[in-house]
Amino acid sequence: MTVRIPLELPAASTGHSAPYPLVKGLDYEYPIPEGVVGSAKELTDKTPKMFQPLKVGNMVLPNRVGVSPMCQYTASNNEATEYHKVHYGALSSRGPGLVMLEVNSVAPHTGVSVVDLGLWNDVQAVKLKPIVDFAHANTSKIGLQIGHGGRKAQGNPPFEYLENWNDPRAIKEEVVGPSAVPFRPKGRLPTPTPLTVEEINTIIKQFGAAAKRAVEISGFDFVEIHGAHGYLLGSFLSAHSNKRTDKYGGSFENRIRFLLEVIDEVRANVPKGFPVLLRISGSDLHDSNPDAWTTADSVKLAPIVADRGIDLIDVSAGANDSDADRPKDKFGKFLPIAAAVKKAVGDKCLVSSVGTLHDAKKVNQLLEDGVIDFAFVGSPFLINPGLVLSWAQELDVSVYQIASHWPFHAKYAEMIEYIKSTKL
Ligand SMILES: Cc1cc2nc3c(=O)[nH]c(=O)nc-3n(C[C@H](O)[C@H](O)[C@H](O)COP(=O)(O)O)c2cc1C
């Protein structure tokens, strides 16, 4: 049995003399792929789970491996540049289940680094649109992460020096958090100014406005709320960084309030069925610290965010506590946390893991066993943007590729018959 995911490409324009019909959003000739890039050509119940389609909200993914969001520190004036087009274009033309752009900050001076993308104005959203249009011309699903750097905002790019903080564009007074708890005691990152409730309400609105721009101006297929890695929303979750005594601190219910209000605001600003993902640090990785956020907290949080309309919980870990335990870099270093979250939500919500999921066969087995629904992979995509195509070969699955990659799908036997028949 062959089941193809229907091509959702926009109708080609008519009356154009180009050999290829023009694809919406592109002002140059571009051949339409024969099938959804990265989807299995033959889909049967024997097809490895990694290459079985997955529905996330109203979006159908061709396979179950996605490009994890990765800051590229190459924004100009916090706007996308040619670099982003080239980088994300290489990824979105090579068949991952989805491509997620790096975190885009929802307000000025809140980026993870001073040279990261922002989405607090319409010009920034317009500059992202060509990246989306190119991904769609390649039949790919593309989204972005929206976030607020909180007490870890406005740093220098990590390749300069990890946790350095001295760029002339950074403004110390704008570094905010739940409480005056710096990421690293005596470290280089500034001590954050605790947010007022009024400022929290403004940031909630900024998350909603950024999501709206992502959908209505840029045309993204999904958004992910960045609630992980000790940035603003994640730092509210953990009593290690949140020492507040108002309705946003103290009890578990109070510490998750900000995140839930952001989820509600994002949901209210995107169409019904539009996929909204949430990345969390499933644990602060510091269980000997009584204030740390733990896997048990994430297990408690997961059904709550699922009920609030999160389609997929993307479970990462750590980076909120400079004294956290350092897990060994073995395969799937955060898997047990994601597995516990999946167990807690069951079919209510999809769950992914990320972090050293760098083995095609092992990742496929996790998907087959239902331990996780989806795998995010980060750094290997920086080496090989065609990672999913390589993994398809490794798992012996034939997938659609873009037309230009003809050595992988040209019908040689037919061509040779034709050439013979023409007696050339
Ligand atoms: C260069 C780089 C930039 C990153 N930027 C982000 C980011 O913007 N948002 C985020 O949630 N994680 C970010 N991460 C973490 C990755 O998404 C991913 O979780 C991490 O690299 C672990 O996956 P891996 O072992 O497959 O690389 C970044 C990682 C790298 C290497």
Side-chain angles (χ1 to χ4, degrees):
M1 181 186 58
T2 303
V3 181
R4 285 186 187 184
I5 305 173
L7 272 170
E8 287 176 26
L9 281 172
S13 69
T14 51
H16 192 272
S17 60
Y20 305 128
L22 284 186
V23 177
K24 198 177 135 205
L26 266 52
D27 59 1
Y28 48 88
E29 291 173 33
Y30 196 72
I32 296 172
E34 205 189 334
V36 172
V37 171
S39 68
K41 287 186 178 171
E42 298 289 325
L43 194 63
T44 70
D45 48 12
K46 295 216 168 42
T47 304
K49 197 73 180 248
M50 186 184 286
F51 290 94
Q52 291 183 18
L54 180 70
K55 200 157 188 265
V56 184
N58 62 9
M59 163 174 86
V60 180
L61 305 180
N63 61 63
R64 299 174 183 226
V65 178
V67 179
S68 200
M70 284 180 283
C71 289
Q72 295 297 300
Y73 322 101
T74 49
S76 175
N77 199 23
N78 304 108
E79 293 165 7
T81 64
E82 286 301 313
Y83 173 87
H84 296 94
K85 275 192 222 169
V86 172
H87 174 68
Y88 290 112
L91 291 160
S92 69
S93 55
R94 286 174 172 79
L98 59 80
V99 176
M100 186 168 348
L101 264 65
E102 61 203 86
V103 63
N104 283 239
S105 50
V106 299
H109 308 297
T110 68
V112 171
S113 89
V114 286
V115 279
D116 286 332
L117 294 171
L119 194 51
W120 64 81
N121 69 44
D122 291 358
V123 171
Q124 292 164 335
V126 168
K127 293 258 169 106
L128 291 167
K129 191 170 185 300
I131 299 171
V132 177
D133 288 338
F134 185 69
H136 288 168
N138 288 306
T139 70
S140 279
K141 297 297 181 200
I142 188 159
L144 87 178
Q145 201 184 40
I146 50 174
H148 184 304
R151 76 204 220 282
K152 292 169 73 180
Q154 305 184 77
N156 298 34
F159 51 76
E160 284 180 18
Y161 194 94
L162 210 57
E163 289 179 36
N164 216 3
W165 206 95
N166 60 10
D167 191 285
R169 289 163 289 189
I171 302 177
K172 225 175 210 146
E173 294 67 36
E174 302 274 351
V175 175
V176 294
S179 311
V181 180
F183 173 66
R184 189 183 298 282
K186 300 199 183 105
R188 291 184 167 87
L189 305 183
T191 298
T193 306
L195 285 169
T196 64
V197 170
E198 201 186 345
E199 287 167 335
I200 289 176
N201 286 332
T202 302
I203 294 169
I204 292 168
K205 294 276 174 230
Q206 286 166 333
F207 267 94
K212 196 176 171 73
R213 278 186 201 103
V215 182
E216 293 182 4
I217 302 178
S218 317
F220 282 103
D221 300 302
F222 67 92
V223 295
E224 177 173 275
I225 299 167
H226 197 346
H229 303 162
Y231 299 114
L232 189 65
L233 298 177
S235 67
F236 266 76
L237 296 180
S238 171
H240 168 74
S241 38
N242 183 347
K243 307 290 183 198
R244 298 175 77 96
T245 51
D246 63 3
K247 65 173 181 170
Y248 291 104
S251 67
F252 173 85
E253 285 69 26
N254 282 356
R255 282 180 281 118
I256 69 170
R257 190 184 306 281
F258 188 11
L259 175 65
L260 298 188
E261 289 175 354
V262 165
I263 294 172
D264 290 348
E265 186 66 18
V266 167
R267 263 269 155 251
N269 275 282
V270 299
K272 196 166 182 290
F274 185 84
V276 179
L277 286 57
L278 169 68
R279 176 166 276 197
I280 56 168
S281 278
S283 158
D284 279 350
L285 305 175
H286 200 178
D287 291 350
S288 62
N289 175 355
D291 288 337
W293 181 264
T294 63
T295 302
D297 290 320
S298 294
V299 161
K300 211 164 139 189
L301 175 72
I304 302 173
V305 297
D307 282 341
R308 290 309 247 248
I310 291 297
D311 296 293
L312 182 148
I313 306 173
D314 169 10
V315 183
S316 181
N320 186 48
D321 171 355
S322 58
D323 288 333
D325 306 328
R326 292 198 74 81
K328 288 209 172 63
D329 258 353
K330 55 173 190 170
F331 172 79
K333 58 183 173 182
F334 305 140
L335 250 176
I337 311 171
V341 170
K342 180 63 200 165
K343 244 186 175 161
V345 288
D347 292 337
K348 226 178 164 134
C349 187
L350 300 168
V351 175
S352 64
S353 181
V354 66
T356 51
L357 294 175
H358 301 170
D359 181 310
K361 290 194 175 108
K362 287 185 186 170
V363 171
N364 186 57
Q365 197 57 51
L366 292 168
L367 296 165
E368 297 279 357
D369 295 344
V371 176
I372 48 171
D373 302 298
F374 192 78
F376 276 106
V377 177
S379 41
F381 274 110
L382 299 177
I383 299 171
N384 175 13
L387 183 79
V388 167
L389 301 178
S390 308
W391 281 12
Q393 283 180 334
E394 204 178 323
L395 297 178
D396 208 15
V397 180
S398 178
V399 297
Y400 288 105
Q401 291 186 226
I402 58 171
S404 311
H405 295 179
W406 63 268
F408 300 99
H409 55 75
K411 299 176 177 75
Y412 288 108
E414 283 175 34
M415 284 183 193
I416 287 163
E417 276 315 303
Y418 172 75
I419 291 165
K420 278 185 188 160
S421 73
T422 55
K423 298 195 171 55
L424 288 175

